[in-house]
Amino acid sequence: MSANWEVKSSYLSQNTFNPIRDYVEGLALVKPNKDKTLIPLNIGDPTVFGNLQPPESAINAVTKTVLTCSYNGYAPSVGHKNTRDALAKNYSRPGMEFTGNPERDWEVDIPHMISLIDDRTRAIVIINPSNPCGSVYSREHLLEILEVAERFKIPIVADEVYGDMIYSDATFYPIASLTSTVPVLSCGGTAKRFIIPGWRFGWIFIIDRNEIFAKEIRSALHRLSQMILGPNTLIQGALPEMLTGTPPEFFASVMKVIEDNAHLAYNSLKSVVGLNPIMPKGAMYMMVGVDLDRFTGIENDMDFTMALYRDEAVSCIPANCFSYAGFFRIVLTVPGDMLSIACSRIADFCNRNRRSNTNDFMHVEQDLIFRSGLSSVLSLADISQSRRLLNDEPNEFIVILKYAATDYNVNFIIH
């Protein structure tokens, strides 16, 4: 017994940490440039600027549900049956049947993933389409992942919440549709597709054709669902009408905004020396690589984004928050004119903080130099001449560099 008060927190609370929220809330200690309007490209909330709104069908469905007074009480821990039936009907498809490489659409490094598997491995987690990368895995790559799962008898946990948010030139394959043997838990939700992240509603599909989950996992999931008294009942009541009553044109218009913004950001940043944007194929995000050797006073991606926020009032998320250094993430749901300004500020920041080093030109594979106000185009074939020109008049040139790809690897395996 102690004579003094000593109330300790739990182990769980001490070891709970959200790196994104920690970074964003830490920005309160940094003062952004007061002469510039803040442009937040950090949090994936499509409602922030008001340019994207939920469909009328969702508003009307919730309003009707409230007025019925039929969903004001507790729901079954696994959710109302009519809601579950509506989800199953809507997402049934014909046949329902880890460290990644940014230059290859963030594909998993399969040999590296295999090397991480041991007796403690419980599942392979894939996030497809990806937050933060915006990648959409090809059918062939998903089959490679499934082959590993089958070989080692490891189930798949698939975060497919962005499965309905892909670009016009991409195809999304639910991973469970590509296997008849590997059991899959597929996670989905309404937050981003319907522009309603605050409504907090999601689900887990169990795709288990051979009853592998029957022994323990189904009952374990049921017990976990009993820790709270069911998900949001009003949204459960409204969801069937939301799924059937929302016109496809609504979803198409949302994705056009996001895809147009992706092209805008990619085309704006790809010519900035020291940056390497990776064009996404889905979701709401773009990852941008930072060649730290090209900047002064910047040691890592956290330094980069913090200084960018301080100097240019543009807030991005350093990829260190995703345990993937050397990149930063931008959100693509902001109004296009605001995103254009943000990209210009990012370019200005990079130009101001670029390290002066003529050896940089040895990295050039092919390129052109355009001199402001001149109609002539100067070739980079004569590197020494290019260096002399740039050293003489560095502010009158825009240099567009093309870099050789660098391999990176990301695996998501739960132990």
Side-chain angles (χ1 to χ4, degrees), residues 37-233:
T37 302
L38 177 64
I39 303 179
L41 304 180
N42 49 4
I43 297 297
D45 183 347
T47 71
V48 169
F49 298 99
N51 59 316
L52 298 176
Q53 296 288 337
E56 288 187 14
S57 59
I59 304 297
N60 294 337
V62 172
T63 302
K64 288 168 59 178
T65 301
V66 172
L67 294 176
T68 66
C69 294
S70 298
Y71 292 88
N72 293 336
Y74 295 133
S77 57
V78 295
H80 285 294
K81 186 177 186 303
N82 65 316
T83 306
R84 290 185 282 122
D85 289 346
L87 284 168
K89 181 178 180 180
N90 186 77
Y91 284 95
S92 292
R93 295 173 172 87
M96 195 62 184
E97 344 181 295
F98 278 70
T99 291
N101 184 341
E103 303 297 340
R104 294 183 55 195
D105 202 20
W106 301 97
E107 288 188 348
V108 174
D109 182 333
I110 298 295
H112 185 216
M113 182 173 73
I114 291 173
S115 74
L116 297 176
I117 296 174
D118 59 24
D119 292 341
R120 299 178 303 150
T121 304
R122 296 293 178 263
I124 297 173
V125 179
I126 68 166
I127 305 173
N128 180 52
S130 170
N131 173 15
C133 304
S135 57
V136 179
Y137 287 156
S138 67
R139 183 178 188 275
E140 293 71 25
H141 188 56
L142 291 170
L143 289 171
E144 290 180 322
I145 296 172
L146 285 168
E147 191 279 327
V148 174
E150 173 66 34
R151 188 195 327 171
F152 291 95
K153 301 299 183 281
I154 301 172
I156 298 284
V157 176
D159 178 346
E160 298 179 325
V161 73
Y162 290 102
D164 296 298
M165 300 181 69
I166 58 171
Y167 293 0
S168 56
D169 60 348
T171 301
F172 167 69
Y173 297 92
I175 194 167
S177 70
L178 303 178
T179 179
S180 61
T181 57
V182 177
V184 175
L185 298 179
S186 173
C187 307
T190 60
K192 308 305 171 66
R193 188 184 189 214
F194 284 89
I195 320 296
I196 48 172
W199 293 13
R200 315 306 295 162
F201 190 83
W203 53 83
I204 298 176
F205 288 128
I206 301 175
I207 305 98
D208 181 21
R209 297 175 179 84
N210 301 302
E211 296 296 320
I212 295 168
F213 286 151
K215 183 178 180 181
E216 291 190 20
I217 301 303
R218 283 179 178 268
S219 60
L221 286 171
H222 194 155
R223 288 192 299 274
L224 287 172
S225 73
Q226 293 172 335
M227 293 180 67
I228 60 172
L229 294 175
N232 188 316
T233 56

Side-chain angles (χ1 to χ4, degrees), residues 259-298:
E259 185 171 355
D260 287 350
N261 280 348
H263 285 287
L264 186 160
Y266 178 78
N267 291 326
S268 298
L269 298 178
K270 70 178 181 179
S271 60
V272 179
V273 178
L275 297 186
N276 179 30
I278 308 299
M279 182 65 190
K281 293 185 178 179
M284 316 184 326
Y285 314 97
M286 174 183 288
M287 288 278 266
V288 182
V290 182
D291 185 349
L292 297 170
D293 291 337
R294 294 182 176 271
F295 299 102
T296 59
I298 295 174

